[in-house]
Amino acid sequence: MITTDGVTKRHGRTLAVDGVSVDIGPGLTAIIGPNGAGKSTLLACIGRLVRLDGGTVLVDGLDVTATSTRVLATRLAVLRQENHVPIRLSVADLVAFGRFPHGGARTADDRAIVDDAVAMLGLDSVRDRFIDELSGGQRQRAFVAMALAQSTDVLLLDEPLNNLDPRYAVDLMRLLGGLAAERGMTIVIVLHDIAVAARHADRIVAMKDGRVAREGSVDEVITAEFLGALYETQVAVEVLGGRRVVLWG
Amino acid sequence: MPERAPRATPVRHALSHPAARIAMLGIAAAAAIALFLLLDLPGRADYALGLRWRTVTGMLVVAIAVGASTVLLQTVTANRILTPGIMGFDAIFMTIQVTGVLVIGPRLLLGTSPTVLWGIELVLMAGIVVLLYWWLFIKRRLDLHLIVLVGLVIGTMLRAVTTFLQRLLDPDAFAVVQNLVFASFTAIDRDLLLPTGVLVVAAGVSIVPILRSLDALALGRSTAIGLGVAHRRVVMHAVVAIAVMVAASTALVGPVLFFGLLVANAAYSLVGHRHAASIPAAALIGAIVLIGGQTVLARGLGFATELPVVIEFLGGALFILLVLTGRTR
């Protein structure tokens, strides 16, 4: 459960996030919006990766600016867009870092969780390969596996579909949807692809100019009228086989 | 971290384990120390042994300081080609030293205990470095590339300042300063050996509780914070330890630019990137190179003062190689 109250973040003189107050409950929540809407910055604020210029963020009732980062790491895992590893590390070693907040991958339980995460992301065949030898998609999945190995209730992902081809993108979204449904996780995911958000998300938060433009179910947010205003372009929304399909231009 | 599945034969696998490799490095370092102490002992062994013992202890302190401080700096700045020397840490220390000579004059300088003087210089240097990096890393939140650039510029500028200040000195003071600004592994200050040794060991021990946090820090700032590393505290702790170690080794033997690069990268390729392994390995490799090299040059080839030149040449060559092959991160 995530509650933000008047969260504000400046980048120099521009307000990247401007007094955002949202409640995000269990399930898969997608944050959408045009470039520069403040989606990634909001995610970084919730994940205590940047300092807030105003407002509060509560994760499971814990104030992220007041709680020790170590305690937070057992409740919340966060993954940003740029994931380069400056050191030589195998996939298994990277995923094992997910156990760091729990005292490292020492016990059999820890190792089982790591193996589980590696398997869930389909990385068994490359688990002993070095991260810098992998394709962009494999690397992306390795980082998601690390975040999953943290065994947190809350998972924040910033554009995790970057570098993934349709097969792995669909697999990952299904996996996240399954985790949200079965384990009751709160998963927040910044997405560029509205079609993916419409297909997989339980709730959608649409942002523009640092503010929340609309928040609600897929049916409430994915409408031609609203998306047209949000992205300032022509758009049609059709229902095809029970799904909402977005047609741009 | 889980063990990687053994693919090679059991013996080869055991030998490739970091602990086994560190043990082997330890044996090699001990052998180098024994050779240095005992080879070609003259008739009056007591005196020679005492002298050699002092040199060997000094080189050990320098090896630990240079090896550990370079690994720490490379972790904090997330790259593999920087050393505290390149980033201007010892230039700061040299400027403090030369300014000291200029301000209080050589006569007073010779009268003051070197330990007291070094203590003052150390506090000044640690203060300046910590302030500078607190400002760069935490107050301004500068991008890492910018911090590296700032470090390079400061280093170059301070070296120029030091050279300029030397021109203002009278010949007596100049002679004192010349001793400070050129690296020499054999002319180790007797009075400084104990205090520098104690501080280097203290800085090394202080790092032990944050070794695992340093492992995670090497994954980059965001990932480290996400994993629960208290980023600011760990980085500042590392910077203080680096400052102390650089002040110690610079005071003992003078500035070294590329030596740390050599030992840190050798350590990574031998034992990997976990700090509990890479820091001791870097220190041991440093000891083997320094003491072994000194033994070969002094006893084998008969010239004693060229080791810094040889090491800096090899380190510089490695620096160029790392840049050219793109393995800078």
Side-chain angles (χ1 to χ4, degrees):
Chain A
M1 179 75 189
I2 300 165
T3 309
T4 77
D5 183 16
V7 167
T8 302
K9 177 68 194 173
R10 283 185 194 86
H11 287 320
R13 282 191 195 151
T14 55
L15 266 172
V17 175
D18 184 6
V20 169
S21 303
V22 283
D23 291 325
I24 301 173
L28 188 57
T29 302
I31 304 180
I32 63 166
N35 294 337
K39 309 181 291 288
S40 297
T41 309
L42 178 63
L43 203 76
C45 288
I46 298 171
R48 49 89 169 85
L49 296 180
V50 296
R51 215 178 297 175
L52 304 181
D53 290 319
T56 52
V57 175
L58 298 181
V59 172
D60 282 350
L62 299 173
D63 185 338
V64 296
T65 51
T67 310
S68 100
T69 182
R70 186 65 169 267
V71 171
L72 282 173
T74 62
R75 307 289 184 91
L76 163 155
V78 52
L79 205 59
R80 294 198 93 173
Q81 284 178 52
E82 71 302 333
N83 286 313
H84 93 95
V85 191
I87 57 176
R88 249 175 122 71
L89 208 61
S90 75
V91 171
D93 286 344
L94 179 77
V95 178
F97 265 112
R99 301 309 295 163
F100 179 84
H102 304 276
R106 290 182 184 170
T107 67
D109 279 353
D110 288 321
R111 280 192 285 272
I113 291 169
V114 170
D115 290 344
D116 214 30
V118 169
M120 270 198 281
L121 272 299
L123 293 164
D124 279 317
S125 60
V126 293
R127 63 172 290 145
D128 291 322
R129 294 259 301 275
F130 288 113
I131 295 289
D132 55 353
E133 295 169 348
L134 300 181
S135 72
Q138 288 170 325
R139 193 176 312 151
Q140 185 73 22
R141 284 184 284 137
F143 273 94
V144 174
M146 182 187 78
L148 282 185
Q150 262 177 268
S151 321
T152 54
D153 287 340
V154 177
L155 182 59
L156 311 175
L157 302 168
D158 193 354
E159 308 249 11
L161 304 186
N162 278 356
N163 302 316
L164 294 190
D165 61 27
R167 176 193 151 194
Y168 284 116
V170 169
D171 281 358
L172 179 59
M173 291 310 296
R174 285 208 179 120
L175 174 69
L176 295 175
L179 289 171
E182 289 154 26
R183 300 188 187 176
M185 288 175 69
T186 303
I187 302 179
V188 185
I189 173 167
V190 172
L191 284 176
H192 254 304
D193 191 334
I194 310 300
V196 174
R199 172 85 181 90
H200 296 277
D202 299 316
R203 308 277 297 173
I204 294 183
V205 175
M207 289 185 72
K208 188 172 189 179
D209 298 330
R211 298 200 180 93
V212 174
R214 187 176 285 187
E215 193 236 326
S217 67
V218 172
D219 291 349
E220 286 163 354
V221 179
I222 307 298
T223 65
E225 172 206 3
F226 175 70
L227 289 182
L230 185 71
Y231 288 93
E232 292 169 22
T233 184
Q234 285 201 322
V235 62
V237 175
E238 300 288 332
V239 179
L240 205 68
R243 295 186 201 170
R244 284 176 175 257
V245 180
V246 181
L247 302 161
W248 298 103
Chain B
M1 219 79 4
E3 305 287 337
R4 228 161 277 151
R7 274 189 239 114
T9 59
V11 176
R12 269 189 66 187
H13 178 64
L15 286 180
S16 69
H17 194 274
R21 294 206 161 160
I22 288 174
M24 286 190 281
L25 287 173
I27 293 168
I33 292 172
L35 280 177
F36 182 83
L37 287 176
L38 302 175
L39 222 57
D40 291 343
L41 263 186
R44 301 178 59 182
D46 289 3
Y47 177 72
L49 260 183
L51 213 60
R52 288 181 186 186
W53 186 247
R54 191 203 305 164
T55 308
V56 101
T57 322
M59 287 196 284
L60 266 178
V61 172
V62 170
I64 296 171
V66 171
S69 66
T70 306
V71 171
L72 287 175
L73 185 85
Q74 296 194 341
T75 296
V76 169
T77 56
N79 77 84
R80 289 180 54 183
I81 59 165
L82 291 177
T83 67
I86 298 174
M87 288 288 286
F89 276 64
D90 50 8
I92 294 174
F93 188 71
M94 308 276 310
T95 309
I96 293 170
Q97 281 189 316
V98 175
T99 313
V101 175
L102 194 70
V103 170
I104 65 179
R107 209 153 298 148
L108 194 61
L109 193 73
L110 291 176
T112 320
S113 143
T115 314
V116 173
L117 210 61
W118 181 72
I120 297 170
E121 288 165 355
L122 170 71
V123 171
L124 272 175
M125 159 168 183
I128 291 173
V129 166
V130 168
L131 254 171
L132 182 67
Y133 278 75
W134 174 80
W135 184 65
L136 291 173
F137 269 110
I138 287 158
K139 188 91 175 106
R140 297 295 312 272
R141 293 251 180 148
L142 286 186
D143 178 55
L144 212 54
H145 295 98
L146 250 142
I147 291 176
V148 169
L149 201 63
V150 170
L152 287 171
V153 169
I154 288 175
T156 312
M157 189 187 77
L158 289 183
R159 268 184 271 277
V161 168
T162 311
T163 315
F164 173 70
L165 288 179
Q166 285 181 57
R167 300 199 190 283
L168 302 180
L169 296 171
D170 60 76
D172 284 354
F174 185 73
V176 174
V177 168
Q178 281 296 298
N179 264 333
L180 300 175
V181 297
F182 286 107
S184 160
F185 295 118
T186 41
I188 281 172
D189 198 317
R190 186 202 315 226
D191 300 312
L192 285 183
L193 201 48
L194 187 65
T196 52
V198 168
L199 269 177
V200 166
V201 170
V205 170
S206 83
I207 290 296
V208 171
I210 62 164
L211 281 174
R212 275 170 25 81
S213 294
L214 287 167
D215 292 344
L217 195 70
L219 297 175
R221 180 178 173 276
S222 294
T223 311
I225 294 176
L227 290 172
V229 173
H231 182 262
R232 230 180 306 170
R233 192 170 53 77
V234 173
V235 165
M236 287 327 287
H237 186 153
V239 168
V240 173
I242 295 168
V244 168
M245 290 183 173
V246 172
S249 84
T250 313
L252 277 183
V253 300
V256 281
L257 269 185
F258 293 116
F259 177 45
L261 187 74
L262 203 66
V263 298
N265 280 287
Y268 302 147
S269 43
L270 274 179
V271 300
H273 283 273
R274 292 188 58 205
H275 290 78
S278 64
I279 290 179
L284 286 171
I285 294 167
I288 295 167
V289 171
L290 276 187
I291 299 168
Q294 195 66 46
T295 310
V296 170
L297 283 180
R299 314 280 184 269
L301 302 171
F303 45 99
T305 55
E306 307 292 326
L307 185 60
V309 180
V310 175
I311 288 176
E312 293 291 273
F313 171 75
L314 290 177
L318 177 69
F319 180 81
I320 293 169
L321 191 75
L322 285 173
V323 171
L324 287 181
T325 55
R327 293 173 63 186
T328 54
R329 299 202 280 216

